[in-house]
Amino acid sequence: GTAEEPEPVYIEKELEIEDYQILQNKLYAIGKKGNRSVVTVTGVTSNMDWFDSAYESENQASGLIIANNGQELLILTEKKVITNAEAIEITFINDEIAPGVLKKYDGNTGIAIISVALADISEETLGKIDVAVLGNSLAITQGTVVIAIGSPLGVTYSILCGTITSSSNTVSVWDSSYTIFTTDIMGSTKGSGVLVNLNGEVVGLVMQGYSSEGDQNTLTALSISQLKGIIGDLSNGRAIPYLGVKVSTVTDEIARDFGLPKGVYIKSVETDIPSPAMDVGLQEADVIIAMDGEEVLTVEEYTKRLQALEPEQQLKLTVMRQNGNEYIELEFNATVGVLQ
């Protein structure tokens, strides 16, 4: 007969202070490896004071190496750093500096992609850097342990450990909404960088501009999974299509409680600057029910359909608008734009 499996032996072991330090060291090792993908992006202007502290510099933020296509490195960063810059400089982990070129940016989320020619980077530096892995942030829940790298405190290559305190909040931007991760990690209002999971994969893009006023002192990040489409488009030099509406999904419950048609509810229309939505006469409280004749029921569907279009393309929107006690169906032909 077959030999019986021996019973497992369990030994109770009390954790010691040293064990805590060992765990900390392991967490920091993940952060140190992640920092190989981090760079400092400087938007150079003629009036820069090079003796400014990094904490005070509006012209610096961390960037993340997201691709090497054989000709250039592609770096993900925030557009605000390079606004009005006369030149862009990329500083790598070994302090080598190379010139960067703006490839494309999204005026909506504030994300920019910078390219650096491989010819401008030494072999030594290429051996010390890594391309970051963008992970699955849809699995992130309250209590998930994360590590902040980049410049969460305003100083590049800091490593901060903590946990996700909320993964259920969303923020509306024009034509989309994104999941916001809040953390218990102390940060700076000028903090930038990314959150990585325990596998060292990027799960959040630190963007303090999206934190609520009360959360300015803890790090806030956008869920990376929802940004992958935009990051891919910008990396390929493609402009991000724009209509200029803030939207939310009319769920079954909302439709029942408020007597609204099912579809995508327009919370507001961009009117401070001309937008395609404003140009054709879309209004707050309209409900979009179809795009080019195809039914849309959620913000995700709306965003996906819009992002599949090209700027200057025509888009037929079918909208329900309240007229007295009833809703009437209207059609609008909008020209897709780009938000500068």
Side-chain angles (χ1 to χ4, degrees), residues 16-256:
E16 301 294 336
I17 293 291
E18 293 79 12
D19 296 317
Y20 181 72
Q21 185 63 58
I22 289 166
L23 279 178
Q24 279 285 80
N25 292 350
K26 287 188 172 182
L27 286 171
Y28 273 77
I30 297 166
K32 281 179 182 164
K33 187 172 186 311
N35 270 336
R36 288 170 59 94
S37 313
V38 170
V39 299
T40 302
V41 180
T42 306
V44 182
T45 56
S46 53
N47 59 353
M48 277 187 83
D49 176 358
W50 288 99
F51 297 96
D52 271 357
S53 154
Y55 284 102
E56 296 162 7
S57 176
E58 297 284 354
N59 302 78
Q60 279 195 335
S62 61
L64 188 72
I65 302 168
I66 55 163
N68 176 345
N69 63 18
Q71 270 91 39
E72 59 191 358
L73 291 182
L74 297 180
I75 290 161
L76 173 69
T77 192
E78 292 190 63
K79 171 186 172 271
K80 63 183 182 186
V81 186
I82 49 171
T83 303
N84 305 324
E86 289 144 38
I88 301 168
E89 287 186 346
I90 305 298
T91 310
F92 293 96
I93 192 164
N94 60 348
D95 293 330
E96 182 179 333
I97 294 174
V101 176
L102 173 64
K103 192 159 185 113
K104 213 77 178 172
Y105 70 83
D106 175 28
N108 198 359
T109 53
I111 293 172
I113 300 289
I114 311 290
S115 75
V116 181
L118 291 182
D120 291 330
I121 307 169
S122 71
E123 285 298 320
E124 183 207 347
T125 298
L126 288 171
K128 291 188 173 176
I129 60 177
D130 288 333
V131 172
V133 176
L134 303 185
N136 173 16
S137 58
L138 304 179
I140 297 290
T141 55
Q142 197 176 31
T144 301
V145 175
V146 287
I147 301 157
I149 60 173
S151 54
L153 284 168
V155 176
T156 316
Y157 302 115
S158 347
I159 300 170
L160 304 173
C161 303
T163 54
I164 300 287
T165 53
S166 167
S167 61
S168 58
N169 296 329
T170 57
V171 61
S172 279
V173 297
W174 297 117
D175 304 314
S176 194
S177 68
Y178 294 107
T179 298
I180 289 273
F181 297 143
T182 57
T183 71
D184 59 2
I185 302 172
M186 295 303 288
S188 149
T189 52
K190 292 192 176 69
S192 61
V194 293
L195 300 180
V196 298
N197 62 18
L198 295 183
N199 296 326
E201 301 159 339
V202 176
V203 291
L205 184 60
V206 172
M207 295 184 89
Q208 288 298 86
Y210 288 99
S211 57
S212 64
E213 287 304 308
D215 293 330
Q216 283 277 314
N217 57 347
T218 54
L219 288 185
T220 299
L222 295 185
S223 169
I224 202 76
S225 290
Q226 294 172 302
L227 295 171
K228 282 179 182 174
I230 286 180
I231 292 168
D233 284 347
L234 294 174
S235 297
N236 291 318
R238 184 174 177 268
I240 306 302
Y242 163 74
L243 268 188
V245 287
K246 288 194 176 172
V247 285
S248 60
T249 301
V250 179
T251 60
D252 288 334
E253 193 179 356
I254 291 169
R256 189 179 63 241

Side-chain angles (χ1 to χ4, degrees), residues 108 174-175 240-245 270 273-277 302 306 311 335-340:
N108 198 359
W174 297 117
D175 304 314
I240 306 302
Y242 163 74
L243 268 188
V245 287
E270 172 62 284
I273 53 172
S275 67
Y302 166 86
L306 179 61
T335 304
V336 176
V338 175
L339 182 59
Q340 297 301 331

